[in-house]
Amino acid sequence: SRRSLSEFDVLVACGGFSYGDVLGGGGGWAKSILFSPILRDQFSEFFESDKLVLGVCNGCQMISQIKPILPDSQNLPRFVKNRSEQFESRTVMVKVNETKSPWLSGMEGSVLPVAIAHGEGKAEFDSSEQLTGLYDKNQVALQYVDSHHQVTQRYPYNPNGAPKGIAGVLANEGKTLIMMPHPERVFRSHQFSWKPLSWGEYSPWMQIFINAKKFVS
């Protein structure tokens, strides 16, 4: 109770085993919020306000499991063990879909390399209707693609076997973005082994952080 979420404009739930160096840490993280009346109320109020939320990797798992207090989240998947049953850590390609998310403004249609590092990144749905509902509400933000820029479930282009190549999804009218890849690990050009000269100091992933700053300004 030393600080309150109401003091902040943006909430980022980070990755990197941020709730303990164990698989499934996102689930424990979510329960620490849902089972605490003080935290549950603060998170509920934050989601209901005009503020931004980003969940990456472990943070993606966590946000996906607090659906009871997250608006517009009924069709969100849970994230389970990779189909390979291995920890996958490398660079993959994702397509940025056209959505109304303030996080991804100006990035629509891009196909970009991005870092991944997870053992439990496969999106899993309770039913086919849930997956269909996610598409119908335009909540699929990012998808894994192959070398021809086609959405794929094929390994290793799709590192976890997620259906429809799902790598990132939206809730709360696009203000909440949760994704398994790590944009914060590749926002500077020198973080790539190769880059186009046109990129300059920053990679295209810097745009999501620029967008967040514009939104709260």
Side-chain angles (χ1 to χ4, degrees), residues 61-84:
Q61 287 183 318
M62 184 273 275
I63 299 293
S64 74
Q65 294 188 50
I66 56 175
K67 289 164 56 171
I69 59 174
L70 177 62
D72 199 27
S73 66
Q74 63 271 23
N75 293 315
L76 293 192
R78 56 185 167 270
F79 293 87
V80 299
K81 185 179 292 186
N82 298 341
R83 181 177 291 169
S84 67

Short mmCIF file of all heavy atoms in Angstrom, two decimals, residues 61-84:
data_model
loop_
_atom_site.label_atom_id
_atom_site.label_comp_id
_atom_site.label_asym_id
_atom_site.label_seq_id
_atom_site.Cartn_x
_atom_site.Cartn_y
_atom_site.Cartn_z
N GLN A 61 1.17 -13.84 -19.93
CA GLN A 61 0.47 -14.91 -19.22
C GLN A 61 -0.35 -14.34 -18.06
O GLN A 61 -1.50 -14.73 -17.84
CB GLN A 61 1.46 -15.93 -18.66
CG GLN A 61 2.10 -16.84 -19.69
CD GLN A 61 3.02 -17.84 -19.01
OE1 GLN A 61 3.77 -17.52 -18.09
NE2 GLN A 61 2.97 -19.07 -19.47
N MET A 62 0.26 -13.43 -17.32
CA MET A 62 -0.41 -12.87 -16.15
C MET A 62 -1.68 -12.13 -16.54
O MET A 62 -2.76 -12.39 -15.98
CB MET A 62 0.54 -11.94 -15.39
CG MET A 62 -0.04 -11.38 -14.10
SD MET A 62 -0.99 -9.86 -14.31
CE MET A 62 0.33 -8.66 -14.25
N ILE A 63 -1.57 -11.20 -17.50
CA ILE A 63 -2.74 -10.41 -17.90
C ILE A 63 -3.84 -11.32 -18.46
O ILE A 63 -5.03 -11.10 -18.21
CB ILE A 63 -2.35 -9.34 -18.94
CG1 ILE A 63 -1.32 -8.36 -18.35
CG2 ILE A 63 -3.58 -8.58 -19.42
CD1 ILE A 63 -1.83 -7.49 -17.24
N SER A 64 -3.45 -12.36 -19.19
CA SER A 64 -4.45 -13.26 -19.78
C SER A 64 -5.23 -14.02 -18.72
O SER A 64 -6.32 -14.53 -18.99
CB SER A 64 -3.79 -14.25 -20.74
OG SER A 64 -3.07 -15.26 -20.04
N GLN A 65 -4.68 -14.11 -17.49
CA GLN A 65 -5.33 -14.87 -16.43
C GLN A 65 -6.06 -14.00 -15.40
O GLN A 65 -6.55 -14.51 -14.39
CB GLN A 65 -4.30 -15.77 -15.74
CG GLN A 65 -3.76 -16.86 -16.66
CD GLN A 65 -2.90 -17.86 -15.94
OE1 GLN A 65 -3.26 -18.41 -14.89
NE2 GLN A 65 -1.72 -18.12 -16.49
N ILE A 66 -6.14 -12.70 -15.68
CA ILE A 66 -6.97 -11.86 -14.80
C ILE A 66 -8.20 -11.37 -15.57
O ILE A 66 -8.69 -10.26 -15.37
CB ILE A 66 -6.17 -10.70 -14.18
CG1 ILE A 66 -5.50 -9.84 -15.25
CG2 ILE A 66 -5.13 -11.22 -13.21
CD1 ILE A 66 -4.80 -8.62 -14.65
N LYS A 67 -8.70 -12.24 -16.44
CA LYS A 67 -9.87 -11.93 -17.26
C LYS A 67 -11.10 -11.51 -16.46
O LYS A 67 -11.88 -10.68 -16.94
CB LYS A 67 -10.21 -13.12 -18.16
CG LYS A 67 -9.20 -13.32 -19.27
CD LYS A 67 -9.28 -14.68 -19.94
CE LYS A 67 -10.62 -15.01 -20.50
NZ LYS A 67 -10.61 -16.24 -21.32
N PRO A 68 -11.32 -12.02 -15.24
CA PRO A 68 -12.51 -11.59 -14.50
C PRO A 68 -12.59 -10.10 -14.24
O PRO A 68 -13.68 -9.56 -14.02
CB PRO A 68 -12.39 -12.38 -13.18
CG PRO A 68 -11.59 -13.59 -13.53
CD PRO A 68 -10.60 -13.12 -14.54
N ILE A 69 -11.44 -9.39 -14.28
CA ILE A 69 -11.47 -7.95 -14.02
C ILE A 69 -10.99 -7.13 -15.23
O ILE A 69 -10.88 -5.90 -15.14
CB ILE A 69 -10.62 -7.57 -12.79
CG1 ILE A 69 -9.16 -8.01 -12.96
CG2 ILE A 69 -11.21 -8.20 -11.53
CD1 ILE A 69 -8.24 -7.53 -11.83
N LEU A 70 -10.72 -7.80 -16.36
CA LEU A 70 -10.23 -7.11 -17.56
C LEU A 70 -11.35 -6.99 -18.59
O LEU A 70 -11.85 -8.00 -19.07
CB LEU A 70 -9.05 -7.89 -18.15
CG LEU A 70 -8.45 -7.35 -19.45
CD1 LEU A 70 -7.88 -5.94 -19.24
CD2 LEU A 70 -7.35 -8.29 -19.96
N PRO A 71 -11.77 -5.78 -18.93
CA PRO A 71 -12.86 -5.60 -19.90
C PRO A 71 -12.52 -6.18 -21.27
O PRO A 71 -11.36 -6.18 -21.69
CB PRO A 71 -13.01 -4.07 -19.99
CG PRO A 71 -12.42 -3.55 -18.72
CD PRO A 71 -11.29 -4.48 -18.39
N ASP A 72 -13.56 -6.70 -21.94
CA ASP A 72 -13.43 -7.13 -23.32
C ASP A 72 -12.40 -8.25 -23.47
O ASP A 72 -11.64 -8.28 -24.44
CB ASP A 72 -13.03 -5.92 -24.19
CG ASP A 72 -13.30 -6.11 -25.67
OD1 ASP A 72 -14.20 -6.88 -26.01
OD2 ASP A 72 -12.58 -5.49 -26.47
N SER A 73 -12.38 -9.17 -22.51
CA SER A 73 -11.33 -10.20 -22.50
C SER A 73 -11.88 -11.62 -22.57
O SER A 73 -11.12 -12.58 -22.43
CB SER A 73 -10.47 -10.06 -21.24
OG SER A 73 -11.25 -10.34 -20.07
N GLN A 74 -13.18 -11.76 -22.79
CA GLN A 74 -13.78 -13.08 -22.70
C GLN A 74 -13.22 -14.09 -23.70
O GLN A 74 -13.25 -15.30 -23.46
CB GLN A 74 -15.31 -13.00 -22.86
CG GLN A 74 -15.79 -12.48 -24.21
CD GLN A 74 -15.93 -10.98 -24.24
OE1 GLN A 74 -15.30 -10.27 -23.45
NE2 GLN A 74 -16.75 -10.47 -25.15
N ASN A 75 -12.66 -13.60 -24.81
CA ASN A 75 -12.13 -14.51 -25.83
C ASN A 75 -10.62 -14.67 -25.78
O ASN A 75 -10.04 -15.36 -26.62
CB ASN A 75 -12.53 -14.01 -27.23
CG ASN A 75 -14.03 -14.09 -27.46
OD1 ASN A 75 -14.67 -15.08 -27.12
ND2 ASN A 75 -14.61 -13.03 -28.00
N LEU A 76 -9.96 -14.05 -24.81
CA LEU A 76 -8.51 -14.18 -24.74
C LEU A 76 -8.11 -15.62 -24.44
O LEU A 76 -8.76 -16.31 -23.65
CB LEU A 76 -7.94 -13.27 -23.65
CG LEU A 76 -8.03 -11.75 -23.83
CD1 LEU A 76 -7.15 -11.06 -22.81
CD2 LEU A 76 -7.66 -11.33 -25.24
N PRO A 77 -7.01 -16.08 -25.05
CA PRO A 77 -6.53 -17.43 -24.76
C PRO A 77 -5.72 -17.46 -23.47
O PRO A 77 -5.41 -16.42 -22.88
CB PRO A 77 -5.61 -17.71 -25.96
CG PRO A 77 -5.05 -16.37 -26.29
CD PRO A 77 -6.17 -15.38 -26.04
N ARG A 78 -5.39 -18.67 -23.02
CA ARG A 78 -4.34 -18.83 -22.02
C ARG A 78 -3.09 -19.29 -22.77
O ARG A 78 -3.18 -19.75 -23.91
CB ARG A 78 -4.76 -19.86 -20.97
CG ARG A 78 -5.14 -21.22 -21.52
CD ARG A 78 -5.66 -22.14 -20.43
NE ARG A 78 -6.31 -23.31 -21.03
CZ ARG A 78 -7.60 -23.35 -21.33
NH1 ARG A 78 -8.39 -22.30 -21.08
NH2 ARG A 78 -8.14 -24.43 -21.88
N PHE A 79 -1.95 -19.18 -22.14
CA PHE A 79 -0.70 -19.51 -22.81
C PHE A 79 -0.04 -20.69 -22.10
O PHE A 79 0.26 -20.63 -20.91
CB PHE A 79 0.21 -18.28 -22.84
CG PHE A 79 -0.34 -17.19 -23.72
CD1 PHE A 79 -1.25 -16.26 -23.20
CD2 PHE A 79 -0.02 -17.12 -25.06
CE1 PHE A 79 -1.79 -15.26 -24.01
CE2 PHE A 79 -0.55 -16.13 -25.87
CZ PHE A 79 -1.44 -15.21 -25.35
N VAL A 80 0.14 -21.77 -22.88
CA VAL A 80 0.55 -23.05 -22.31
C VAL A 80 1.85 -23.52 -22.96
O VAL A 80 2.43 -22.86 -23.82
CB VAL A 80 -0.56 -24.11 -22.50
CG1 VAL A 80 -1.84 -23.67 -21.79
CG2 VAL A 80 -0.84 -24.35 -23.99
N LYS A 81 2.31 -24.71 -22.54
CA LYS A 81 3.60 -25.24 -22.96
C LYS A 81 3.74 -25.29 -24.49
O LYS A 81 2.82 -25.69 -25.21
CB LYS A 81 3.79 -26.65 -22.39
CG LYS A 81 5.16 -27.26 -22.66
CD LYS A 81 5.28 -28.65 -22.05
CE LYS A 81 5.27 -28.59 -20.53
NZ LYS A 81 5.52 -29.93 -19.93
N ASN A 82 4.91 -24.88 -24.97
CA ASN A 82 5.19 -24.92 -26.41
C ASN A 82 5.00 -26.33 -26.96
O ASN A 82 5.27 -27.31 -26.27
CB ASN A 82 6.64 -24.50 -26.68
CG ASN A 82 6.94 -23.07 -26.25
OD1 ASN A 82 6.03 -22.26 -26.07
ND2 ASN A 82 8.22 -22.77 -26.09
N ARG A 83 4.57 -26.40 -28.20
CA ARG A 83 4.38 -27.70 -28.83
C ARG A 83 5.69 -28.50 -28.85
O ARG A 83 5.68 -29.73 -28.74
CB ARG A 83 3.86 -27.53 -30.26
CG ARG A 83 3.60 -28.85 -30.98
CD ARG A 83 3.02 -28.61 -32.37
NE ARG A 83 1.67 -28.07 -32.27
CZ ARG A 83 1.00 -27.57 -33.31
NH1 ARG A 83 1.58 -27.54 -34.51
NH2 ARG A 83 -0.22 -27.11 -33.18
N SER A 84 6.82 -27.82 -28.97
CA SER A 84 8.12 -28.49 -29.00
C SER A 84 8.50 -29.04 -27.63
O SER A 84 9.46 -29.82 -27.53
CB SER A 84 9.20 -27.51 -29.46
OG SER A 84 9.39 -26.48 -28.49
#
